[in-house]
Amino acid sequence: MAAVAGLCCLLLATACTTDGSGTSDSKPDGGDSGPGIAESFDSRFTGNEEFCRPAADAPDEAPKATAPGITADEVVIANIRLKIEDLEKVGFAFDNGDQADQAQVFVDYINDKCGGINGRKLKLETIAQPVPGFGGDPEVEAQQTCTKVADELHAVVAFSYSGVGNPLASCLSGPKKTGFVTTYDLGKRDFAQADGRLFSVNHSPENILKYAALEMVDELKGKKVGVVYGDQDPNGQVVQEGLVATLEDEGVDVARVDALGCADGKCTEGLIPSVQGMRSDKVDVVFPLLDTINLPTYLREMVTQGFKPGDVQFVNSSFMAQDSELVTGKMVEFGGKEAGELYDGATIWSGSRAGEHRIDGFEPDPFVAMCNETYAANSTKVTKPYDQYEDEDNRRASSVASHCAGVRMLARAIEAAGANPTREDIYEVLGNFGKFDHGEGLPASFRPGKPTGPDAVVREKFSFPCKLKVSNAVGHCIEPVSDFLPLPD
C-alpha cells in the first residue's frame, strides 16, 4: 500500500516534465514575463542558437573559496534523480531517456566548451532517489539523501527535473539551508518555510485551482458545482483556499464539497455517498480532484450509479497531475471504457500545451530543438535528436529540455551572483531572477514573492477515444484548446 502512495506522489511530479514542448503563434505576456528568450539580465547563458558561449572577459577577481561547496576551483550542484524505473513493478513503465546523462551533458558542456563560470568548473553530483514505497522508509530515505547532499557533498543548489519533491525539498531548503529547484508542484506552506531557498517550475496546487476557477467563472455561473478530493494533508486547505473560496467569492454556487477518507493510498471512505450526493444535489459540474489511483474508482462508481456521458461536465487541473497523459490513461485502464467515455471532454487547466505536437501546423519550439540538438551531439547515450512529432520521443525531448533549461538557469544565477559569491548571493539571484527559459515554450519567471515559474495557463481537453493519431494503447489524448493565457487576476 505504501507503494501506491509513492506512485501517486511521483505522478504528481512527472506531469511537469512531460508533453507540450512546442510553440504556438500567440503567447501573451503573463506577469512580468513573456515568451521566448529570457532577457531579465545579460548573460552568455541565453539564446536559441547555442547553449552557452565562452566568457568575453576574465572575472573581476581571482576565484577563492567563499562557502562550503564553493571553492577556488568548483561549485558543487546536485541532481536528485527519481528512479522512475521502479514503476515498472506496478505497470507504470515509461521511458524519459537517461535523465542523469541529460543533466551531466549540459554541465560538461559548460565546463568544457564555455570555460566554466568565473574561473570555476561546475561539479555535478547525481543521487538516485527511490520512488517512495519501493525502497525502505520514505522519510528515512529522504533524510539520508538530504544529509548526503547538504552535509557530505556540500551542494550549493540541488535540483530535480525528474520529480522529487517532499519530504526532501523541505529538509534541504529548511534546516539544511540549501537551495532546491524542482518540477514538483509545491504548496505555499513549503515556500513559506524555505526562506527564499525553494523554487518550482510548476504552478502551486493552490494557484492552478484558483486560476481554473477564475478562468471558468462565466461558464459556471448559474450551474451547480460539486467538488471531491482526498483528505490527505494538505489537500483540504489547498482545495478550500484555491478553489472553493475563489468560486464562492465569484458568486458560483458550490453545491457540494466532499472529502473522501483515505488510507494506504486508497480513498474509499465516503465514496458511494459522495456520488449519490452529486446525483441528488443535481450538480452540473464536478471538480474530481483525485489522484490517478482514486479518480478511476470514483468515475467507475458514477457509472455504476447511472451517470451517462454528458450528464455532468468535468473540470480538472495539474493538481494531482491530471494534465498528464500518463496519468489520465490509467483512468481508462483502471476505471474501464465506460469511465473514459464519461470523462470524455473534460476541461483541464495546466501550464503546458500537452499534445500540441499532434495538431496540424505544429512547429517544434526553437529552445527545445536547440537543447535536443546539443544533447544528441554531446551525449554517448543517444545518436540523434528526439523526434518531437512522435509521442514517446516528444516526451523524451521535453525531459532533455527541462534539464537543459534547469542547468542553464543555475549557471546564469551562479555567474550573476559575482566572481566570489556566497551561497546566499546565489539564492538571492534566483529569487529575483525574472524571466527564464522554461523548456516548453511557457512564459516563466521567478521574482520576489513568486517562487513558482509559470506566468501563463493553458486550457486543455481530455478525449476518449482520441480523434487524433496517438501511439498509446489506450487510445486517449489530451489536447490544448487555447494558447498560453496570461494569469488571471
Side-chain angles (χ1 to χ4, degrees), residues 245-302:
T246 305
L247 290 173
E248 291 178 342
D249 288 346
E250 296 294 328
V252 174
D253 180 7
V254 182
R256 188 175 189 89
V257 180
D258 294 329
L260 304 185
C262 303
D264 295 327
K266 292 185 177 181
C267 303
T268 55
E269 182 181 345
L271 186 152
I272 293 176
S274 173
V275 175
Q276 292 172 336
M278 297 292 179
R279 170 71 79 186
S280 62
D281 288 345
K282 298 181 179 179
V283 299
D284 304 294
V285 181
V286 176
F287 283 78
L289 307 179
L290 299 167
D291 61 39
T292 191
I293 300 298
N294 292 292
L295 180 53
T297 303
Y298 195 87
L299 292 173
R300 190 166 60 239
E301 182 60 31
M302 293 184 75

Tab-separated table of all heavy atoms in Angstrom, residues 245-302:
chain	number	residue	atom	x	y	z
A	245	ALA	N	-13.088	28.676	-2.099
A	245	ALA	CA	-13.221	30.083	-1.700
A	245	ALA	C	-13.251	31.001	-2.914
A	245	ALA	O	-14.001	31.979	-2.941
A	245	ALA	CB	-12.073	30.468	-0.770
A	246	THR	N	-12.457	30.694	-3.936
A	246	THR	CA	-12.445	31.530	-5.149
A	246	THR	C	-13.783	31.472	-5.857
A	246	THR	O	-14.330	32.504	-6.268
A	246	THR	CB	-11.324	31.075	-6.092
A	246	THR	OG1	-10.072	31.090	-5.406
A	246	THR	CG2	-11.239	31.987	-7.313
A	247	LEU	N	-14.328	30.271	-6.025
A	247	LEU	CA	-15.629	30.137	-6.681
A	247	LEU	C	-16.716	30.877	-5.906
A	247	LEU	O	-17.537	31.602	-6.491
A	247	LEU	CB	-15.996	28.659	-6.818
A	247	LEU	CG	-15.184	27.832	-7.827
A	247	LEU	CD1	-15.565	26.362	-7.712
A	247	LEU	CD2	-15.400	28.331	-9.247
A	248	GLU	N	-16.727	30.704	-4.592
A	248	GLU	CA	-17.763	31.356	-3.787
A	248	GLU	C	-17.608	32.868	-3.810
A	248	GLU	O	-18.614	33.594	-3.871
A	248	GLU	CB	-17.709	30.821	-2.361
A	248	GLU	CG	-18.154	29.361	-2.258
A	248	GLU	CD	-18.049	28.794	-0.856
A	248	GLU	OE1	-17.307	29.398	-0.024
A	248	GLU	OE2	-18.689	27.763	-0.577
A	249	ASP	N	-16.379	33.355	-3.790
A	249	ASP	CA	-16.157	34.807	-3.875
A	249	ASP	C	-16.666	35.375	-5.191
A	249	ASP	O	-17.065	36.549	-5.259
A	249	ASP	CB	-14.670	35.126	-3.714
A	249	ASP	CG	-14.172	34.926	-2.293
A	249	ASP	OD1	-15.004	34.791	-1.384
A	249	ASP	OD2	-12.938	34.890	-2.099
A	250	GLU	N	-16.648	34.547	-6.235
A	250	GLU	CA	-17.105	34.998	-7.557
A	250	GLU	C	-18.588	34.743	-7.786
A	250	GLU	O	-19.095	34.965	-8.890
A	250	GLU	CB	-16.282	34.294	-8.651
A	250	GLU	CG	-14.803	34.643	-8.651
A	250	GLU	CD	-14.539	36.094	-9.014
A	250	GLU	OE1	-15.327	36.650	-9.811
A	250	GLU	OE2	-13.546	36.671	-8.510
A	251	GLY	N	-19.281	34.263	-6.755
A	251	GLY	CA	-20.724	34.080	-6.868
A	251	GLY	C	-21.159	32.776	-7.510
A	251	GLY	O	-22.320	32.643	-7.924
A	252	VAL	N	-20.266	31.801	-7.589
A	252	VAL	CA	-20.620	30.497	-8.158
A	252	VAL	C	-21.257	29.632	-7.071
A	252	VAL	O	-20.827	29.638	-5.910
A	252	VAL	CB	-19.367	29.800	-8.739
A	252	VAL	CG1	-19.699	28.388	-9.206
A	252	VAL	CG2	-18.788	30.623	-9.891
A	253	ASP	N	-22.265	28.871	-7.434
A	253	ASP	CA	-22.978	28.005	-6.496
A	253	ASP	C	-22.196	26.705	-6.303
A	253	ASP	O	-22.278	25.783	-7.131
A	253	ASP	CB	-24.385	27.703	-7.026
A	253	ASP	CG	-25.194	26.802	-6.091
A	253	ASP	OD1	-24.714	26.522	-4.964
A	253	ASP	OD2	-26.297	26.381	-6.490
A	254	VAL	N	-21.429	26.633	-5.222
A	254	VAL	CA	-20.729	25.388	-4.885
A	254	VAL	C	-21.699	24.567	-4.030
A	254	VAL	O	-21.831	24.767	-2.827
A	254	VAL	CB	-19.419	25.671	-4.125
A	254	VAL	CG1	-18.691	24.363	-3.827
A	254	VAL	CG2	-18.521	26.602	-4.943
A	255	ALA	N	-22.384	23.653	-4.681
A	255	ALA	CA	-23.481	22.936	-4.027
A	255	ALA	C	-23.000	21.811	-3.132
A	255	ALA	O	-23.705	21.429	-2.187
A	255	ALA	CB	-24.426	22.366	-5.094
A	256	ARG	N	-21.791	21.297	-3.400
A	256	ARG	CA	-21.362	20.132	-2.637
A	256	ARG	C	-19.835	20.064	-2.619
A	256	ARG	O	-19.184	20.216	-3.660
A	256	ARG	CB	-21.929	18.853	-3.263
A	256	ARG	CG	-21.681	17.623	-2.426
A	256	ARG	CD	-22.361	16.392	-2.996
A	256	ARG	NE	-22.261	15.302	-2.031
A	256	ARG	CZ	-23.124	15.061	-1.070
A	256	ARG	NH1	-24.201	15.826	-0.950
A	256	ARG	NH2	-22.941	14.057	-0.220
A	257	VAL	N	-19.251	19.824	-1.438
A	257	VAL	CA	-17.810	19.615	-1.291
A	257	VAL	C	-17.613	18.379	-0.427
A	257	VAL	O	-18.012	18.351	0.737
A	257	VAL	CB	-17.113	20.833	-0.640
A	257	VAL	CG1	-15.614	20.556	-0.505
A	257	VAL	CG2	-17.347	22.095	-1.449
A	258	ASP	N	-17.017	17.340	-1.005
A	258	ASP	CA	-16.835	16.073	-0.303
A	258	ASP	C	-15.356	15.764	-0.135
A	258	ASP	O	-14.585	15.815	-1.110
A	258	ASP	CB	-17.482	14.912	-1.082
A	258	ASP	CG	-18.994	15.024	-1.144
A	258	ASP	OD1	-19.578	15.566	-0.183
A	258	ASP	OD2	-19.580	14.580	-2.148
A	259	ALA	N	-14.969	15.419	1.093
A	259	ALA	CA	-13.622	14.937	1.380
A	259	ALA	C	-13.695	13.440	1.622
A	259	ALA	O	-14.310	12.992	2.591
A	259	ALA	CB	-13.042	15.650	2.593
A	260	LEU	N	-13.096	12.657	0.735
A	260	LEU	CA	-13.089	11.210	0.908
A	260	LEU	C	-12.014	10.809	1.905
A	260	LEU	O	-10.899	11.337	1.892
A	260	LEU	CB	-12.823	10.516	-0.431
A	260	LEU	CG	-13.764	10.834	-1.593
A	260	LEU	CD1	-13.429	9.959	-2.795
A	260	LEU	CD2	-15.225	10.677	-1.191
A	261	GLY	N	-12.341	9.862	2.763
A	261	GLY	CA	-11.355	9.357	3.704
A	261	GLY	C	-10.373	8.434	3.010
A	261	GLY	O	-10.766	7.519	2.278
A	262	CYS	N	-9.084	8.683	3.221
A	262	CYS	CA	-8.043	7.926	2.527
A	262	CYS	C	-7.188	7.154	3.517
A	262	CYS	O	-6.842	7.667	4.592
A	262	CYS	CB	-7.146	8.864	1.713
A	262	CYS	SG	-8.037	9.883	0.504
A	263	ALA	N	-6.840	5.937	3.162
A	263	ALA	CA	-5.937	5.118	3.963
A	263	ALA	C	-5.115	4.252	3.021
A	263	ALA	O	-5.665	3.631	2.094
A	263	ALA	CB	-6.724	4.244	4.943
A	264	ASP	N	-3.786	4.250	3.228
A	264	ASP	CA	-2.890	3.462	2.390
A	264	ASP	C	-3.054	3.783	0.911
A	264	ASP	O	-2.973	2.907	0.043
A	264	ASP	CB	-3.111	1.961	2.608
A	264	ASP	CG	-2.733	1.527	4.016
A	264	ASP	OD1	-1.797	2.121	4.579
A	264	ASP	OD2	-3.374	0.610	4.549
A	265	GLY	N	-3.309	5.054	0.607
A	265	GLY	CA	-3.390	5.480	-0.780
A	265	GLY	C	-4.736	5.298	-1.439
A	265	GLY	O	-4.936	5.750	-2.564
A	266	LYS	N	-5.681	4.627	-0.762
A	266	LYS	CA	-6.994	4.411	-1.344
A	266	LYS	C	-8.026	5.280	-0.638
A	266	LYS	O	-8.159	5.220	0.579
A	266	LYS	CB	-7.389	2.933	-1.242
A	266	LYS	CG	-6.538	2.029	-2.113
A	266	LYS	CD	-7.046	0.596	-2.082
A	266	LYS	CE	-6.240	-0.293	-3.007
A	266	LYS	NZ	-6.724	-1.693	-3.003
A	267	CYS	N	-8.769	6.062	-1.411
A	267	CYS	CA	-9.750	6.996	-0.843
A	267	CYS	C	-11.149	6.449	-1.101
A	267	CYS	O	-11.817	6.832	-2.071
A	267	CYS	CB	-9.577	8.384	-1.471
A	267	CYS	SG	-7.918	9.070	-1.265
A	268	THR	N	-11.599	5.558	-0.233
A	268	THR	CA	-12.888	4.899	-0.434
A	268	THR	C	-13.934	5.280	0.611
A	268	THR	O	-15.129	5.091	0.373
A	268	THR	CB	-12.708	3.369	-0.407
A	268	THR	OG1	-12.064	2.989	0.816
A	268	THR	CG2	-11.857	2.904	-1.580
A	269	GLU	N	-13.504	5.812	1.758
A	269	GLU	CA	-14.460	6.184	2.796
A	269	GLU	C	-15.295	7.375	2.334
A	269	GLU	O	-14.777	8.436	2.035
A	269	GLU	CB	-13.728	6.532	4.091
A	269	GLU	CG	-14.666	6.874	5.239
A	269	GLU	CD	-13.925	7.239	6.506
A	269	GLU	OE1	-12.715	6.956	6.591
A	269	GLU	OE2	-14.549	7.827	7.408
A	270	GLY	N	-16.572	7.183	2.245
A	270	GLY	CA	-17.470	8.240	1.800
A	270	GLY	C	-17.629	8.324	0.301
A	270	GLY	O	-18.329	9.213	-0.205
A	271	LEU	N	-17.032	7.394	-0.446
A	271	LEU	CA	-17.078	7.463	-1.913
A	271	LEU	C	-18.505	7.294	-2.435
A	271	LEU	O	-18.995	8.108	-3.227
A	271	LEU	CB	-16.151	6.393	-2.492
A	271	LEU	CG	-15.934	6.393	-4.019
A	271	LEU	CD1	-14.568	5.807	-4.342
A	271	LEU	CD2	-17.006	5.562	-4.741
A	272	ILE	N	-19.182	6.228	-2.014
A	272	ILE	CA	-20.534	5.973	-2.516
A	272	ILE	C	-21.498	7.098	-2.126
A	272	ILE	O	-22.244	7.605	-2.984
A	272	ILE	CB	-21.034	4.602	-2.035
A	272	ILE	CG1	-20.199	3.497	-2.693
A	272	ILE	CG2	-22.516	4.420	-2.337
A	272	ILE	CD1	-20.532	2.096	-2.209
A	273	PRO	N	-21.507	7.555	-0.848
A	273	PRO	CA	-22.384	8.679	-0.517
A	273	PRO	C	-22.060	9.946	-1.311
A	273	PRO	O	-22.970	10.728	-1.628
A	273	PRO	CB	-22.125	8.896	0.978
A	273	PRO	CG	-21.673	7.565	1.483
A	273	PRO	CD	-20.872	6.981	0.366
A	274	SER	N	-20.793	10.156	-1.647
A	274	SER	CA	-20.433	11.335	-2.433
A	274	SER	C	-21.065	11.282	-3.816
A	274	SER	O	-21.657	12.258	-4.286
A	274	SER	CB	-18.912	11.452	-2.557
A	274	SER	OG	-18.559	12.498	-3.435
A	275	VAL	N	-20.954	10.131	-4.473
A	275	VAL	CA	-21.546	10.002	-5.812
A	275	VAL	C	-23.062	10.127	-5.723
A	275	VAL	O	-23.700	10.792	-6.559
A	275	VAL	CB	-21.131	8.661	-6.445
A	275	VAL	CG1	-21.849	8.461	-7.784
A	275	VAL	CG2	-19.614	8.614	-6.651
A	276	GLN	N	-23.659	9.515	-4.709
A	276	GLN	CA	-25.110	9.651	-4.512
A	276	GLN	C	-25.500	11.111	-4.307
A	276	GLN	O	-26.513	11.583	-4.841
A	276	GLN	CB	-25.547	8.810	-3.311
A	276	GLN	CG	-25.437	7.312	-3.517
A	276	GLN	CD	-25.682	6.520	-2.241
A	276	GLN	OE1	-25.515	7.029	-1.127
A	276	GLN	NE2	-26.085	5.247	-2.393
A	277	GLY	N	-24.670	11.833	-3.540
A	277	GLY	CA	-24.958	13.236	-3.285
A	277	GLY	C	-24.843	14.088	-4.531
A	277	GLY	O	-25.620	15.043	-4.719
A	278	MET	N	-23.871	13.787	-5.379
A	278	MET	CA	-23.747	14.525	-6.636
A	278	MET	C	-25.012	14.354	-7.475
A	278	MET	O	-25.481	15.295	-8.128
A	278	MET	CB	-22.521	14.043	-7.429
A	278	MET	CG	-21.182	14.275	-6.759
A	278	MET	SD	-20.725	16.024	-6.637
A	278	MET	CE	-19.128	15.879	-5.789
A	279	ARG	N	-25.561	13.143	-7.433
A	279	ARG	CA	-26.796	12.877	-8.170
A	279	ARG	C	-27.985	13.593	-7.525
A	279	ARG	O	-28.753	14.291	-8.206
A	279	ARG	CB	-27.042	11.366	-8.214
A	279	ARG	CG	-28.397	10.952	-8.742
A	279	ARG	CD	-28.515	11.192	-10.243
A	279	ARG	NE	-27.849	10.134	-10.988
A	279	ARG	CZ	-27.698	10.150	-12.309
A	279	ARG	NH1	-28.130	11.192	-13.012
A	279	ARG	NH2	-27.097	9.162	-12.927
A	280	SER	N	-28.146	13.445	-6.203
A	280	SER	CA	-29.324	14.025	-5.540
A	280	SER	C	-29.285	15.549	-5.528
A	280	SER	O	-30.335	16.204	-5.573
A	280	SER	CB	-29.447	13.486	-4.112
A	280	SER	OG	-28.312	13.856	-3.332
A	281	ASP	N	-28.085	16.126	-5.465
A	281	ASP	CA	-27.970	17.584	-5.485
A	281	ASP	C	-28.017	18.158	-6.895
A	281	ASP	O	-27.953	19.373	-7.077
A	281	ASP	CB	-26.661	18.012	-4.809
A	281	ASP	CG	-26.696	17.818	-3.304
A	281	ASP	OD1	-27.799	17.626	-2.760
A	281	ASP	OD2	-25.617	17.852	-2.673
A	282	LYS	N	-28.093	17.288	-7.878
A	282	LYS	CA	-28.228	17.681	-9.287
A	282	LYS	C	-27.112	18.634	-9.719
A	282	LYS	O	-27.352	19.674	-10.333
A	282	LYS	CB	-29.593	18.323	-9.529
A	282	LYS	CG	-30.757	17.378	-9.243
A	282	LYS	CD	-32.106	18.034	-9.505
A	282	LYS	CE	-33.252	17.059	-9.229
A	282	LYS	NZ	-34.578	17.690	-9.466
A	283	VAL	N	-25.868	18.236	-9.419
A	283	VAL	CA	-24.740	19.075	-9.820
A	283	VAL	C	-24.572	19.022	-11.334
A	283	VAL	O	-24.852	18.007	-11.980
A	283	VAL	CB	-23.433	18.650	-9.123
A	283	VAL	CG1	-23.557	18.773	-7.612
A	283	VAL	CG2	-23.016	17.252	-9.524
A	284	ASP	N	-24.151	20.134	-11.884
A	284	ASP	CA	-23.925	20.229	-13.330
A	284	ASP	C	-22.446	20.056	-13.683
A	284	ASP	O	-22.109	19.610	-14.786
A	284	ASP	CB	-24.382	21.603	-13.842
A	284	ASP	CG	-25.826	21.900	-13.510
A	284	ASP	OD1	-26.694	21.196	-14.044
A	284	ASP	OD2	-26.076	22.825	-12.706
A	285	VAL	N	-21.572	20.454	-12.748
A	285	VAL	CA	-20.132	20.443	-12.985
A	285	VAL	C	-19.446	19.784	-11.791
A	285	VAL	O	-19.771	20.095	-10.643
A	285	VAL	CB	-19.575	21.872	-13.171
A	285	VAL	CG1	-18.069	21.845	-13.438
A	285	VAL	CG2	-20.306	22.593	-14.305
A	286	VAL	N	-18.506	18.887	-12.065
A	286	VAL	CA	-17.762	18.211	-11.000
A	286	VAL	C	-16.273	18.488	-11.166
A	286	VAL	O	-15.714	18.301	-12.253
A	286	VAL	CB	-18.007	16.691	-11.008
A	286	VAL	CG1	-17.131	16.000	-9.953
A	286	VAL	CG2	-19.476	16.379	-10.752
A	287	PHE	N	-15.643	18.944	-10.083
A	287	PHE	CA	-14.187	19.037	-9.999
A	287	PHE	C	-13.714	17.791	-9.245
A	287	PHE	O	-13.737	17.765	-8.014
A	287	PHE	CB	-13.757	20.295	-9.236
A	287	PHE	CG	-13.857	21.577	-10.008
A	287	PHE	CD1	-15.088	22.196	-10.187
A	287	PHE	CD2	-12.723	22.180	-10.537
A	287	PHE	CE1	-15.192	23.391	-10.878
A	287	PHE	CE2	-12.808	23.369	-11.233
A	287	PHE	CZ	-14.040	23.980	-11.413
A	288	PRO	N	-13.288	16.721	-9.936
A	288	PRO	CA	-12.865	15.490	-9.252
A	288	PRO	C	-11.364	15.548	-8.950
A	288	PRO	O	-10.538	15.032	-9.703
A	288	PRO	CB	-13.197	14.404	-10.276
A	288	PRO	CG	-12.986	15.080	-11.596
A	288	PRO	CD	-13.282	16.549	-11.397
A	289	LEU	N	-10.997	16.131	-7.831
A	289	LEU	CA	-9.594	16.426	-7.519
A	289	LEU	C	-8.953	15.234	-6.813
A	289	LEU	O	-8.537	15.299	-5.658
A	289	LEU	CB	-9.518	17.689	-6.660
A	289	LEU	CG	-10.259	18.906	-7.248
A	289	LEU	CD1	-10.144	20.094	-6.314
A	289	LEU	CD2	-9.739	19.243	-8.635
A	290	LEU	N	-8.856	14.139	-7.539
A	290	LEU	CA	-8.345	12.879	-7.020
A	290	LEU	C	-7.153	12.422	-7.855
A	290	LEU	O	-7.007	12.821	-9.015
A	290	LEU	CB	-9.442	11.815	-7.052
A	290	LEU	CG	-10.680	12.134	-6.206
A	290	LEU	CD1	-11.831	11.181	-6.565
A	290	LEU	CD2	-10.356	12.034	-4.721
A	291	ASP	N	-6.323	11.563	-7.271
A	291	ASP	CA	-5.114	11.138	-7.962
A	291	ASP	C	-5.407	9.998	-8.937
A	291	ASP	O	-6.550	9.569	-9.110
A	291	ASP	CB	-4.020	10.764	-6.960
A	291	ASP	CG	-4.418	9.607	-6.053
A	291	ASP	OD1	-5.072	8.655	-6.538
A	291	ASP	OD2	-4.091	9.650	-4.852
A	292	THR	N	-4.351	9.514	-9.561
A	292	THR	CA	-4.509	8.541	-10.641
A	292	THR	C	-5.027	7.186	-10.177
A	292	THR	O	-5.532	6.409	-10.974
A	292	THR	CB	-3.163	8.348	-11.368
A	292	THR	OG1	-3.376	7.613	-12.562
A	292	THR	CG2	-2.165	7.626	-10.491
A	293	ILE	N	-4.911	6.895	-8.888
A	293	ILE	CA	-5.464	5.652	-8.354
A	293	ILE	C	-6.938	5.803	-8.034
A	293	ILE	O	-7.749	4.911	-8.312
A	293	ILE	CB	-4.705	5.228	-7.077
A	293	ILE	CG1	-3.225	5.011	-7.376
A	293	ILE	CG2	-5.324	3.978	-6.470
A	293	ILE	CD1	-2.942	3.915	-8.368
A	294	ASN	N	-7.326	6.952	-7.491
A	294	ASN	CA	-8.669	7.116	-6.943
A	294	ASN	C	-9.682	7.751	-7.896
A	294	ASN	O	-10.881	7.518	-7.748
A	294	ASN	CB	-8.586	7.928	-5.649
A	294	ASN	CG	-7.886	7.148	-4.552
A	294	ASN	OD1	-8.402	6.160	-4.053
A	294	ASN	ND2	-6.674	7.569	-4.202
A	295	LEU	N	-9.238	8.525	-8.861
A	295	LEU	CA	-10.192	9.081	-9.811
A	295	LEU	C	-10.871	7.987	-10.638
A	295	LEU	O	-12.092	8.038	-10.839
A	295	LEU	CB	-9.522	10.119	-10.712
A	295	LEU	CG	-10.434	10.778	-11.753
A	295	LEU	CD1	-11.687	11.361	-11.117
A	295	LEU	CD2	-9.672	11.862	-12.524
A	296	PRO	N	-10.140	6.986	-11.145
A	296	PRO	CA	-10.835	5.912	-11.871
A	296	PRO	C	-11.900	5.222	-11.028
A	296	PRO	O	-12.976	4.876	-11.530
A	296	PRO	CB	-9.697	4.952	-12.235
A	296	PRO	CG	-8.469	5.791	-12.249
A	296	PRO	CD	-8.672	6.812	-11.173
A	297	THR	N	-11.602	5.022	-9.748
A	297	THR	CA	-12.567	4.376	-8.854
A	297	THR	C	-13.814	5.237	-8.705
A	297	THR	O	-14.952	4.718	-8.707
A	297	THR	CB	-11.933	4.129	-7.474
A	297	THR	OG1	-10.751	3.350	-7.636
A	297	THR	CG2	-12.898	3.404	-6.554
A	298	TYR	N	-13.621	6.539	-8.568
A	298	TYR	CA	-14.763	7.447	-8.417
A	298	TYR	C	-15.618	7.455	-9.684
A	298	TYR	O	-16.854	7.384	-9.627
A	298	TYR	CB	-14.261	8.855	-8.104
A	298	TYR	CG	-15.340	9.777	-7.578
A	298	TYR	CD1	-15.639	9.834	-6.218
A	298	TYR	CD2	-16.073	10.592	-8.432
A	298	TYR	CE1	-16.637	10.667	-5.731
A	298	TYR	CE2	-17.060	11.429	-7.962
A	298	TYR	CZ	-17.343	11.467	-6.607
A	298	TYR	OH	-18.330	12.297	-6.131
A	299	LEU	N	-14.964	7.510	-10.835
A	299	LEU	CA	-15.714	7.521	-12.096
A	299	LEU	C	-16.443	6.198	-12.305
A	299	LEU	O	-17.580	6.179	-12.808
A	299	LEU	CB	-14.762	7.787	-13.264
A	299	LEU	CG	-14.140	9.186	-13.315
A	299	LEU	CD1	-13.097	9.257	-14.414
A	299	LEU	CD2	-15.208	10.250	-13.536
A	300	ARG	N	-15.802	5.103	-11.934
A	300	ARG	CA	-16.458	3.798	-12.074
A	300	ARG	C	-17.714	3.732	-11.204
A	300	ARG	O	-18.740	3.175	-11.607
A	300	ARG	CB	-15.473	2.695	-11.704
A	300	ARG	CG	-15.970	1.290	-12.043
A	300	ARG	CD	-14.849	0.258	-11.987
A	300	ARG	NE	-14.251	0.190	-10.666
A	300	ARG	CZ	-12.967	0.425	-10.419
A	300	ARG	NH1	-12.153	0.770	-11.408
A	300	ARG	NH2	-12.493	0.319	-9.191
A	301	GLU	N	-17.644	4.325	-10.010
A	301	GLU	CA	-18.823	4.361	-9.153
A	301	GLU	C	-19.916	5.243	-9.759
A	301	GLU	O	-21.117	4.920	-9.652
A	301	GLU	CB	-18.448	4.859	-7.758
A	301	GLU	CG	-19.605	4.900	-6.761
A	301	GLU	CD	-20.240	3.549	-6.513
A	301	GLU	OE1	-19.524	2.519	-6.585
A	301	GLU	OE2	-21.464	3.504	-6.247
A	302	MET	N	-19.524	6.330	-10.404
A	302	MET	CA	-20.518	7.166	-11.082
A	302	MET	C	-21.216	6.383	-12.179
A	302	MET	O	-22.442	6.477	-12.347
A	302	MET	CB	-19.852	8.420	-11.658
A	302	MET	CG	-19.330	9.402	-10.623
A	302	MET	SD	-18.649	10.926	-11.351
A	302	MET	CE	-20.167	11.791	-11.811
